[in-house]
Amino acid sequence: MPALDNLQMDIAFLASLIGLLLVWGNFLLVIIFTGRVIMKRLPVGASLSWLIILLLFPYVGVGLYILFGERYLGSKRRRRQESLLSSYQQVKMDGEALQVRLLDRIHNGGQALANYELSTTGLPAIGGNTIQFLSHAEDTIHAMVADIDRATEYCHLEFYIWHPGGNADLVADALVRAKERGVVCRVMLDAVGSQTFFRSHLSRLLRKHQIPVIKACPIGFIPWRLARYDLRNHRKMMVIDGKVGYIGSFNLIDPRYFKQDQGVGEWIDVMARIEGPSVRVIDGVYRWYWNIEAGDRLPLSPATIEPNDSAAVIQAAPSGPDVEKESILNSLLQAIYSAKHEILIVTPYFVPGEVLSQALRIAARRGVKVSLILPKRVDSFLVRYASRSYFEELLQAGVRIFQYDQGLLHTKCVLIDGKLSFFGTVNMDLRSLWLNFEMTLIVYDSQTTEVLKEIVEGYIQDSIPLDAEAWEQRSLRKRFVENVMHLFSPLI
């Protein structure tokens, strides 16, 4: 049996050699990608989380970093964006001329905030607008349909989710009617969020009537051409003829038919209906991203916008991996640190990271009344426990936390001193603040902010305040899970 023994020895030696090569191969990859994480200068929490993943998960950690570690948007998108830069530079020049310069009369931090956003995105704060908040899904859908039915030139839609069923189908019918009148209709939907739509009868209906429907951030099989798989277009907006705009948290869904199997109740949203000169700025943002995704050449900025410093002053604040790093986060920090009396925050997903959490704690300790209104139940296990990992230190600092118990509260807004407000699609988590394509309205107007505040106070009435002492009595098991999720919260 010497031959068999020799074969077994050869197999054992080969297995040992392969094992050794795998160990050293992983070690080499960890060294290379550790260096890359360090040189990329990601937020400290994100960097540490990636280092933990690289060390704990051989090869898998490297694969995850390649897919999700950097904000790379893909070669095709980059080339298209570079080809459009000249038109964007003109928009920035127009923004300087249109910017309102007297915003400190509304709030002491208003002008600094507006100037920061202008320097970041090139988009100005412009007055002369009116805003109506729609807080019921049925009202929102019917208002959208009515405006589409009044369109004479174009309808531009951009949504993260369009889910077929119920009243959401009425929007598709309205677009078909508009198309038959000669109105140009364009629809841009996130490739992942709206994947059900692209397989539905609604998609076939729109294409049958030659209404272009494009996938934003499409998923492909070649990562270096696709970019990161999880960079999503999270915006919810619509523009009609450059005269009426919609922005908010509302996806094109009927809450009665959407995710009813997840035990969180119906989704609760608010949409802003806007009229005034800022609508053309919002439409310019839409056109910019349409051109990039569709390879088109729509003009970005109509020459009809005039300077206006009357109420309500609005500044469109698009954010995402193609805008200056952490731009909307910095704007929120600027507003929070300028608060004197009250901060109200409504968000479904609250994983703020250390910098934003610290800003809220500091505000509470200097006497600002800080309130968080969050849903009691959310549709993500990871977010649920990562969010709760921040509660104890916030409660100890004097931040009030209310848990909404009438459904999944999906509205996203921040109100500062009843005079300044952020409203749109941005959640208080690092994914939304740093990775996703989002759209926020910054409203410099006390009357509009007060209307939004009434909606928020209604949420508080339907919420259960979290008691600090009772929270400290939660089980050791829950604390452990929260702290584990906290380690990875910069990546959630």
Side-chain angles (χ1 to χ4, degrees), residues 11-52:
I11 292 174
F13 174 76
L14 184 60
S16 177
L17 180 61
I18 292 173
L20 188 63
L21 289 174
L22 287 174
V23 170
W24 279 103
N26 180 70
F27 178 76
L28 181 61
L29 287 172
V30 169
I31 293 297
I32 292 171
F33 280 90
T34 295
R36 189 168 183 85
V37 169
I38 292 171
M39 295 306 295
K40 280 294 178 180
R41 292 178 62 86
L42 301 170
V44 174
S47 295
L48 291 176
S49 296
W50 277 118
L51 292 176
I52 292 171

Side-chain angles (χ1 to χ4, degrees), residues 146-221:
D147 283 320
I148 293 172
D149 282 338
R150 285 190 286 266
T152 59
E153 299 177 41
Y154 61 85
C155 301
H156 289 163
L157 283 74
E158 180 178 5
F159 285 87
Y160 177 60
I161 298 173
W162 189 343
H163 190 272
N167 287 330
D169 293 2
L170 299 177
V171 176
D173 296 335
L175 289 174
V176 169
R177 292 194 295 270
K179 175 68 175 179
E180 291 174 344
R181 297 195 308 272
V183 175
V184 176
C185 300
R186 299 182 179 96
V187 179
M188 179 163 47
L189 305 173
D190 184 76
V192 174
S194 294
Q195 56 184 312
T196 301
F197 173 91
F198 289 110
R199 300 191 299 266
S200 75
H201 68 285
L202 293 185
S203 178
R204 293 189 292 273
L205 174 67
L206 297 185
R207 295 183 191 281
K208 175 183 175 182
H209 288 84
Q210 298 182 325
I211 297 173
V213 182
I214 66 171
K215 293 183 179 182
C217 304
I219 292 292
F221 293 102

Side-chain angles (χ1 to χ4, degrees), residues 27-296:
F27 178 76
L28 181 61
L29 287 172
V30 169
I31 293 297
I32 292 171
F33 280 90
T34 295
R36 189 168 183 85
V37 169
I38 292 171
M39 295 306 295
K40 280 294 178 180
R41 292 178 62 86
L42 301 170
V44 174
S47 295
L48 291 176
S49 296
W50 277 118
L51 292 176
I52 292 171
I53 289 173
L54 289 171
L55 291 171
L56 290 183
F57 303 103
Y59 289 102
V60 174
V62 171
L64 290 173
Y65 183 81
I66 291 173
L67 293 177
F68 305 115
E70 298 178 15
R71 302 198 303 177
Y72 181 55
L73 290 166
S75 55
K76 180 187 291 187
R77 195 181 202 286
R78 188 179 67 249
R79 287 194 301 270
R80 287 180 178 175
Q81 185 167 319
E82 289 172 351
S83 71
L84 295 168
L85 279 179
S86 60
S87 59
Y88 180 62
Q89 292 302 324
Q90 182 60 49
V91 170
K92 295 188 76 170
M93 292 173 61
D94 294 343
E96 288 282 353
L98 293 170
Q99 176 83 329
V100 174
R101 304 289 179 182
L102 302 171
L103 292 174
D104 281 341
R105 67 189 179 186
I106 297 170
H107 188 269
N108 62 293
Q111 194 62 57
L113 175 59
N115 290 344
Y116 172 77
E117 270 299 328
L118 177 65
S119 69
T120 301
T121 66
L123 302 181
I126 306 176
N129 304 283
T130 60
I131 304 177
Q132 174 190 6
F133 292 110
L134 301 166
S135 55
H136 298 285
E138 188 172 354
D139 294 340
T140 300
I141 290 288
H142 287 305
M144 286 180 170
V145 168
D147 283 320
I148 293 172
D149 282 338
R150 285 190 286 266
T152 59
E153 299 177 41
Y154 61 85
C155 301
H156 289 163
L157 283 74
E158 180 178 5
F159 285 87
Y160 177 60
I161 298 173
W162 189 343
H163 190 272
N167 287 330
D169 293 2
L170 299 177
V171 176
D173 296 335
L175 289 174
V176 169
R177 292 194 295 270
K179 175 68 175 179
E180 291 174 344
R181 297 195 308 272
V183 175
V184 176
C185 300
R186 299 182 179 96
V187 179
M188 179 163 47
L189 305 173
D190 184 76
V192 174
S194 294
Q195 56 184 312
T196 301
F197 173 91
F198 289 110
R199 300 191 299 266
S200 75
H201 68 285
L202 293 185
S203 178
R204 293 189 292 273
L205 174 67
L206 297 185
R207 295 183 191 281
K208 175 183 175 182
H209 288 84
Q210 298 182 325
I211 297 173
V213 182
I214 66 171
K215 293 183 179 182
C217 304
I219 292 292
F221 293 102
I222 308 176
W224 53 89
R225 292 190 62 186
L226 160 78
R228 276 184 63 162
Y229 286 105
D230 63 336
L231 298 183
R232 308 307 335 145
N233 186 330
H234 194 241
R235 293 171 180 160
K236 298 97 176 167
M237 51 191 282
M238 183 174 79
V239 178
I240 307 296
D241 294 344
K243 298 176 182 178
V244 177
Y246 287 80
I247 288 178
S249 65
F250 182 75
N251 290 292
L252 281 181
I253 65 167
D254 188 325
R256 297 172 300 171
Y257 301 95
F258 184 68
K259 291 191 176 183
Q260 287 301 295
D261 59 343
Q262 298 200 359
V264 296
E266 292 188 5
W267 289 37
I268 309 297
D269 287 287
V270 176
M271 206 69 166
R273 183 184 183 275
I274 309 131
E275 293 184 76
S278 289
V279 174
R280 292 192 178 273
V281 177
I282 295 166
D283 190 42
V285 175
Y286 178 94
R287 290 165 179 259
W288 167 259
Y289 286 96
W290 175 273
N291 287 346
I292 291 173
E293 297 288 4
D296 214 336

Side-chain angles (χ1 to χ4, degrees), residues 347-423:
T347 181
Y349 308 115
F350 181 75
V351 189
E354 296 305 321
V355 174
L356 188 52
S357 176
Q358 184 180 40
L360 295 174
R361 298 196 308 270
I362 290 173
R365 292 191 185 280
R366 60 185 172 84
V368 178
K369 187 178 179 182
V370 182
S371 300
L372 296 175
I373 302 92
L374 315 173
K376 186 174 182 180
R377 296 175 298 276
V378 295
D379 57 339
S380 168
F381 171 86
L382 296 178
V383 170
R384 184 185 312 134
Y385 282 95
S387 177
R388 293 172 182 175
S389 71
Y390 290 90
F391 285 3
E392 187 167 336
E393 59 185 7
L394 288 168
L395 290 167
Q396 289 174 351
V399 175
R400 300 189 306 164
I401 300 175
F402 296 90
Q403 294 185 308
Y404 184 83
D405 197 29
Q406 302 299 311
L408 197 158
L409 182 58
H410 196 243
T411 303
K412 309 111 177 0
C413 62
V414 178
L415 283 63
I416 306 294
D417 295 337
K419 298 178 180 179
L420 175 69
S421 52
F422 292 72
F423 178 85

